[in-house]
Amino acid sequence: MKEALYGENGYYMTERDRFGRLGDFYTSAQVSPLFGALWARFVMEQSPLTHAICIVELGCGDGDLAAGLVKEWLRVCKETQRLLYVGIDLSPFARKRTVERLQQILTERDCNGVVEFAIASTVEAAKAMQKDWPQTTWVIGNEVLDALPCEVVRVTRNKEVWRLMVTTAKSLPPDQPVGPFGGKQLVTYFEPVVAGPLQEYANRYVFPLFAELDADVLITEMQVSLPQLIREITEVLHPRYIAWIDYGGLTRDVIAEDRPYGSLRSYFAHHMIEDWLDLAGEVDVTFDVDFTFVSDVLFSYGYTTQLLQRQGPFLMGISALEEVFYAMQQKDHSLSQKLKQLVMPGGFGDRFFVMLAEPLQRG
């Protein structure tokens, strides 16, 4: 998955459109700038008015969330609260697009130094770019967790653990369980695991589920790169808040009998693709996030989960929603329909969760 998404010719490393109508999927930020504007107001509500604020967006993409957030900040804050927006993305094309959008916004408006921005490829590079880092830092990841490289793990009731491997059709081992994904050139199989992170994940999160399920085999995904990401965020940035927006649920929600092959899947032009392995690099590959695991990893690095809520109730609970909506509706007469898509059940409102974490001990 890492090579398919972030390799030299990986999905996120090319110049093609990935988001919105011309791409392969929507995030809430592409539905409407209202999403970014509401996040701006939520940050303002939770942060001291006298402090400068830094918002670090992991995976800034094409700058959709950044654009909505910065425009609202400029509309409301004037000179009362300075914002440093920092966008981080591995893709040079994403960084370029975000820079262009923010430069245009700040050129068209007299920001008077209220908003500054920096774009970098990594957390450490972003930190090195700024000498004066605001005291209050937010880290926000909108559909970042589901794009982190994962391992597919197969767990049996008799406590066997297997990891998914990829090989050519001609090299498929004859005595190993065949994996759920394949193509004409590449196929998958499972090899046994006896120790390490996959075994630890199975012991803590998967084996206990067999007590309540009738299944003899469960297949799921482990976010193997998540601990490294959270360690880097917490040790380098020391954020006051960490916020994730993504689809998934608690462990019991994402690992189930009705998901015999787990949740790993692929999209192209807004359609789910089967037998996508031969198309790696050309299609989006994603999975449902296990927020129980995310919360536990955050806790291991000194952060506690203060909120885990579906996106609909979260956005509807932002006190400035009505004021922001009517301000933006003057320029977008279809905003009512877009708001419904963001908050209503059956749309993004119940599909996505918002997780908010804070340090166990405030510095």
Side-chain angles (χ1 to χ4, degrees):
M1 185 174 176
K2 181 177 181 180
E3 184 65 23
L5 295 180
Y6 302 105
E8 182 178 356
N9 298 308
Y11 177 76
Y12 285 109
M13 307 304 287
T14 60
E15 197 170 4
R16 57 161 295 179
D17 291 319
R18 298 181 297 274
F19 310 108
R21 184 175 59 85
L22 299 178
D24 300 316
F25 60 93
Y26 283 91
T27 75
S28 297
Q30 282 88 47
V31 172
S32 170
L34 177 63
F35 182 72
L38 289 175
W39 267 100
R41 298 302 292 269
F42 180 73
V43 170
M44 294 175 198
E45 290 175 6
Q46 300 296 316
S47 305
L49 288 175
T50 56
H51 290 172
I53 304 295
C54 176
I55 297 178
V56 179
E57 183 186 2
L58 303 177
C60 57
D62 289 350
D64 295 290
L65 176 60
L69 191 154
V70 166
K71 286 180 180 179
E72 181 65 11
W73 203 279
L74 291 171
R75 187 182 75 86
V76 174
C77 279
K78 308 301 181 185
E79 300 180 11
T80 59
Q81 192 170 45
R82 186 171 67 89
L83 169 67
L84 170 62
Y85 168 85
V86 179
I88 298 176
D89 205 297
L90 288 173
S91 168
F93 305 105
R95 297 196 299 272
K96 180 175 181 291
R97 290 168 179 169
T98 301
V99 167
E100 291 172 348
R101 293 189 70 174
L102 293 182
Q103 284 180 338
Q104 181 178 359
I105 292 170
L106 297 183
T107 299
E108 293 173 349
R109 292 164 172 80
D110 182 14
C111 68
N112 198 26
V114 173
V115 174
E116 298 178 350
F117 75 91
I119 307 297
S121 59
T122 66
V123 170
E124 291 188 352
K127 184 71 171 180
M129 293 171 65
Q130 294 295 322
K131 295 181 180 179
D132 299 323
W133 201 266
Q135 181 179 352
T136 302
T137 296
W138 285 69
V139 172
I140 298 177
N142 179 37
E143 289 200 54
V144 170
L145 300 180
D146 68 80
L148 293 178
C150 71
E151 291 265 16
V152 177
V153 57
R154 178 180 185 266
V155 182
T156 66
R157 183 177 289 274
N158 59 0
K159 299 192 181 300
E160 295 176 325
V161 181
W162 308 69
R163 66 185 296 183
L164 189 73
M165 305 295 293
V166 180
T167 188
T168 62
K170 295 181 179 180
S171 304
L172 183 65
D175 300 327
Q176 305 286 26
V178 177
F181 313 109
K184 294 182 179 179
Q185 300 176 13
L186 298 175
V187 295
T188 57
Y189 67 96
F190 287 101
E191 72 171 18
V193 173
V194 294
L198 293 184
Q199 181 71 54
E200 295 170 4
Y201 181 82
N203 290 343
R204 182 167 183 176
Y205 299 97
V206 186
F207 287 144
L209 296 179
F210 285 107
E212 55 183 286
L213 299 176
D214 293 330
D216 292 322
V217 176
L218 293 172
I219 295 178
T220 189
E221 301 79 29
M222 180 192 172
Q223 300 146 262
V224 289
S225 56
L226 179 66
Q228 179 181 349
L229 174 63
I230 291 181
R231 177 186 61 79
E232 186 176 13
I233 291 170
T234 56
E235 293 182 358
V236 175
L237 300 179
H238 307 290
R240 177 67 181 80
Y241 297 96
I242 300 175
W244 307 109
I245 307 103
D246 230 309
Y247 41 77
L250 302 178
T251 300
R252 184 60 184 83
D253 301 320
V254 299
I255 306 177
E257 295 169 287
D258 59 357
R259 290 182 162 186
Y261 304 119
S263 68
L264 191 70
R265 55 198 182 273
S266 180
Y267 290 94
F268 182 80
H270 302 281
H271 295 283
M272 191 178 296
I273 303 297
E274 297 182 2
D275 299 331
W276 52 266
L277 206 55
D278 291 340
L279 301 174
E282 302 176 29
V283 295
D284 176 40
V285 183
T286 186
F287 60 94
D288 283 2
V289 174
D290 181 353
F291 280 104
T292 304
F293 179 66
V294 176
S295 181
D296 289 344
V297 175
L298 284 166
F299 188 82
S300 71
Y301 285 98
Y303 281 71
T304 182
T305 299
Q306 296 293 336
L307 172 76
L308 180 62
Q309 186 178 31
R310 294 190 185 274
Q311 178 171 287
F314 172 80
L315 294 179
M316 293 298 292
I318 296 175
S319 61
L321 170 60
E322 184 174 357
E323 188 256 312
V324 176
F325 176 82
Y326 285 115
M328 297 183 68
Q329 191 182 36
Q330 298 175 17
K331 296 181 180 180
D332 184 356
H333 299 297
S334 65
L335 192 61
S336 179
Q337 186 60 39
K338 294 173 181 176
L339 176 60
K340 290 180 181 179
Q341 187 175 351
L342 289 172
V343 303
M344 292 294 289
F348 286 22
D350 62 359
R351 186 183 179 197
F352 287 86
F353 281 87
V354 175
M355 173 180 275
L356 185 65
E358 299 180 71
L360 289 166
Q361 296 181 344
R362 298 183 180 182

